[in-house]
Amino acid sequence: ITGEKRPSSDMMKPKPKPQKKKKKKDPNEPQKPVSAYALFFRDTQAAIKGQNPNATFGDVSKIVAS
């Protein structure tokens, strides 16, 4: 039994995943246009915030969505 080889501890370790390279953002890249819902939400949010000053962002979002 002493002649048997066991796998070394190096073989038992999981292989590290290759890291993805993050693309650098171009500072001169044009901005994406704002969606119609985002424009609607901005306008509606101001009115709802005026009626419910203590409402959280989540509460306001639920009211706008309904």
Side-chain angles (χ1 to χ4, degrees):
I1 298 179
T2 58
E4 290 182 22
K5 291 186 178 180
R6 290 187 175 181
S8 66
S9 61
D10 292 338
M11 294 180 76
M12 300 301 286
K13 292 179 183 173
K15 294 180 183 177
K17 294 183 180 178
Q19 293 182 355
K20 294 182 180 178
K21 291 183 181 178
K22 193 172 185 179
K23 293 182 181 178
K24 291 184 180 179
K25 274 199 160 188
D26 182 11
N28 298 324
E29 180 181 12
Q31 299 253 334
K32 293 181 181 176
V34 180
S35 69
Y37 181 75
L39 293 171
F40 163 75
F41 184 84
R42 275 192 215 156
D43 296 340
T44 313
Q45 181 185 20
I48 292 173
K49 226 11 181 167
Q51 295 171 359
N52 304 316
N54 295 333
T56 63
F57 181 79
D59 295 337
V60 173
S61 296
K62 287 178 186 174
I63 295 169
V64 171
S66 62

